[in-house]
C-alpha cells in the first residue's frame, strides 16, 4: 500500500467514542490505543468520550459530532457484537447516509486471519453522514489496532495511492449543497 511521499500530508480531525457499560476514560484501553495511533500518525484527536451501550446515547453523540465542523471522522470502539446490549451498528445506521460496505468486509477478512471464524460475530461497519466518516470497531484493543494499522491508517492518509478517503472529503457534502 504505497504512500506517495511527494504529496502533502493532510491531518484529519478524529473523534473517538468508546461504547461500554463498564469502562470509563481511565480504564478505556481501546479508546486510548486509538487516540495514540491517531496522534502518532499526525492526525488530531479532537474529542474522546465513553457512552453506555444504549442506542439513543450513541446516536446523540454521533449527531453532535457530525454537526461539529471540527470533526471529520468518528471512530467508535465497542458494542458491535451480537449480544442484546450490542447496539452500536443500530445507532450508526440511524445517522448514516451511505454505508461503506467494503470497510466491514475488509475488517472481517483481515480479522479472519487472526481469530478465524470467530470474526463472523463482528458487525464492524463504516459509512458517511453529512460529510463525516463514521467507523464502528469492536471493543477489543487488538481489533482497534488491526482496524487502524491495516485499514484506517492508510485510507485516512492523503498520500495513500491509488486512492484514499481524505481526497474525497471535499465532495462528501455535494448533495447537501445542491438541495
Amino acid at each position: 500500500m504505497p504512500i506517495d511521499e511527494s504529496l502533502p500530508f493532510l491531518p484529519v480531525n478524529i473523534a473517538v467514542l468508546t461504547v461500554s457499560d463498564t469502562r470509563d476514560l481511565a480504564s478505556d484501553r481501546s479508546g486510548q490505543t486509538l487516540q495514540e495511533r491517531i496522534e502518532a500518525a499526525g492526525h488530531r484527536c479532537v474529542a474522546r468520550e465513553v457512552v453506555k451501550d444504549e442506542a439513543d446515547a450513541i446516536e446523540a453523540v454521533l449527531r453532535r459530532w457530525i454537526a461539529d465542523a471540527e470533526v471529520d471522522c468518528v471512530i467508535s470502539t465497542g458494542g458491535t457484537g451480537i449480544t442484546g446490549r450490542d447496539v452500536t451498528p443500530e445507532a450508526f445506521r440511524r445517522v448514516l447516509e451511505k454505508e461503506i460496505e467494503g470497510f466491514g468486509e475488509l475488517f472481517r477478512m483481515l480479522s479472519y486471519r487472526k481469530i478465524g471464524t470467530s470474526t463472523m460475530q463482528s458487525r464492524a461497519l463504516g459509512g458517511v453522514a453529512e460529510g463525516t466518516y463514521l467507523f464502528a470497531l469492536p471493543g477489543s484493543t487488538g481489533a482497534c489496532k488491526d482496524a487502524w494499522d491495516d485499514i484506517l491508517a492508510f485510507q485516512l492518509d492523503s498520500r495513500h495511492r491509488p486512492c484514499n478517503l481524505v481526497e474525497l472529503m471535499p465532495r462528501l457534502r455535494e448533495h447537501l449543497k445542491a438541495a
Side-chain angles (χ1 to χ4, degrees):
M1 292 180 237
I3 298 294
D4 184 343
E5 299 290 345
S6 70
L7 297 172
F9 175 80
L10 303 173
V12 177
N13 292 334
I14 303 172
V16 175
L17 177 63
T18 298
V19 178
S20 175
D21 288 334
T22 59
R23 296 180 192 165
D24 58 19
L25 282 176
S27 63
D28 176 23
R29 289 189 17 231
S30 294
Q32 184 63 38
T33 295
L34 285 169
Q35 181 175 351
E36 289 167 0
R37 279 171 156 67
I38 288 164
E39 292 172 347
H43 301 295
R44 294 181 287 268
C45 184
V46 294
R48 185 165 160 223
E49 291 185 27
V50 177
V51 67
K52 298 281 185 207
D53 263 313
E54 297 169 3
D56 290 343
I58 298 165
E59 179 184 0
V61 175
L62 292 176
R63 289 194 184 281
R64 179 166 33 91
W65 284 345
I66 289 166
D68 186 339
E70 292 297 310
V71 177
D72 301 316
C73 177
V74 176
I75 303 174
S76 76
T77 172
T80 62
I82 57 174
T83 70
R85 294 288 296 158
D86 292 322
V87 296
T88 300
E90 288 78 11
F92 268 59
R93 287 190 176 103
R94 290 181 186 179
V95 301
L96 287 179
E97 294 167 354
K98 294 183 180 187
E99 190 165 338
I100 304 171
E101 289 87 352
F103 174 78
E105 294 164 357
L106 181 56
F107 174 81
R108 284 181 285 280
M109 182 197 78
L110 295 169
S111 181
Y112 177 77
R113 295 177 183 160
K114 296 183 180 186
I115 65 169
T117 59
S118 296
T119 194
M120 69 177 268
Q121 296 178 30
S122 169
R123 297 186 302 142
L125 65 89
V128 181
E130 295 183 37
T132 302
Y133 287 116
L134 304 172
F135 297 98
L137 312 179
S140 76
T141 304
C144 290
K145 289 177 183 176
D146 293 345
W148 180 265
D149 295 348
D150 297 338
I151 305 171
L152 296 174
F154 297 103
Q155 282 299 300
L156 294 176
D157 189 323
S158 57
R159 304 164 301 167
H160 181 265
R161 292 293 169 253
C163 57
N164 61 74
L165 295 174
V166 178
E167 64 191 359
L168 299 176
M169 290 171 70
R171 299 183 53 210
L172 293 177
R173 299 176 59 88
E174 288 174 333
H175 66 294
L176 300 173
K177 292 175 186 172

